[in-house]
Amino acid sequence: MTNPLPTLSFVIPCYNEEAVLPRLLDTLRDMSRELQAAGHIAGAAQILLVDDGSKDRTWELIEAARDSHVATGLRLSRNQGHQAALLAGLLNADADVTISMDADLQDDPRVVVQMLERYREGAEIVFGVRAARDTDTAFKRLTARGYYKALHALDVDVIPDHADFRLMSAKAIVALDSFQER
């Protein structure tokens, strides 16, 4: 079964991201145009930036970047934490599919085409899994390996190295929202 051409939202949690926001926005706007021109999405992608109580100029840059059809912002009242900001963005996105990613562009945005292909083939959730952790510090790599080993030892079903880079269908987000835990 093939899903129709989807509308797309990008959800980006932001905490003190003023240094990377201009590059992120340029990258996502270019990607939106390319995805639309190549027939991967229906219309321009929405870019939803969620400010998680930043102390720098992140919110000012989000407000300045707002435009009528692409970029928009959501500002949390204070720092709620990355996962709370991510969830707020997912629940406020307005598209057939939503791709969440970090603002620093450590995850390869070119993988989005493959994610959209999996969605069109019927997948409701597509995880972006890092092929390499070259940009991480040795400490980060060590603690990540330890974290995944500990979860495996506890019999937790988790996909190593997937982070927050994922595609979720609107149907999957509705299912996520049905859980009352936060």
Side-chain angles (χ1 to χ4, degrees):
M1 180 176 185
T2 301
N3 286 321
L5 209 58
T7 56
L8 172 65
S9 286
F10 288 103
V11 167
I12 316 293
C14 300
Y15 181 73
N16 295 338
E17 305 289 358
E18 74 175 298
V20 298
L21 275 182
R23 180 171 165 242
L24 169 73
L25 286 164
D26 289 345
T27 299
L28 293 181
R29 285 182 170 130
D30 290 346
M31 180 180 294
S32 174
R33 284 189 288 275
E34 292 167 13
L35 291 170
Q36 190 176 3
H40 293 292
I41 60 173
Q46 174 194 37
I47 302 168
L48 177 53
L49 304 163
V50 183
D51 182 16
D52 186 22
S54 295
K55 306 287 187 217
D56 65 0
R57 294 182 51 245
T58 295
W59 181 247
E60 291 173 44
L61 294 174
I62 290 171
E63 284 189 303
R66 288 183 186 200
D67 58 46
S68 60
H69 65 284
V70 179
T72 187
L74 180 64
R75 187 178 195 186
L76 302 184
S77 61
R78 62 180 175 81
N79 182 258
Q80 302 286 330
H82 183 83
Q83 295 303 316
L86 176 61
L87 183 61
L90 292 172
L91 297 180
N92 282 279
D94 184 25
D96 299 320
V97 296
T98 298
I99 294 178
S100 60
M101 59 193 307
D102 291 336
D104 60 13
L105 291 172
Q106 283 191 39
D107 298 305
D108 187 357
R110 295 172 296 184
V111 177
V112 168
V113 171
Q114 295 169 333
M115 293 173 134
L116 290 166
E117 287 170 356
R118 298 297 87 75
Y119 168 77
R120 300 251 355 250
E121 293 168 358
E124 299 290 336
I125 300 173
V126 181
F127 291 104
V129 178
R130 288 185 180 172
R133 298 188 75 104
D134 299 341
T135 59
D136 291 346
T137 64
F139 178 75
K140 174 72 174 172
R141 286 191 300 270
L142 179 67
T143 56
R145 276 193 295 261
Y147 172 76
Y148 289 116
K149 279 184 181 181
L151 288 178
H152 181 72
L154 294 171
D155 217 18
V156 175
D157 186 19
V158 66
I159 299 170
D161 296 325
H162 84 277
D164 291 322
F165 187 36
R166 73 176 62 90
L167 174 149
M168 294 180 73
S169 70
K171 180 179 174 182
I173 292 172
V174 167
L176 176 64
D177 190 33
S178 72
F179 289 94
Q180 297 304 304
E181 300 91 18
R182 292 290 185 249

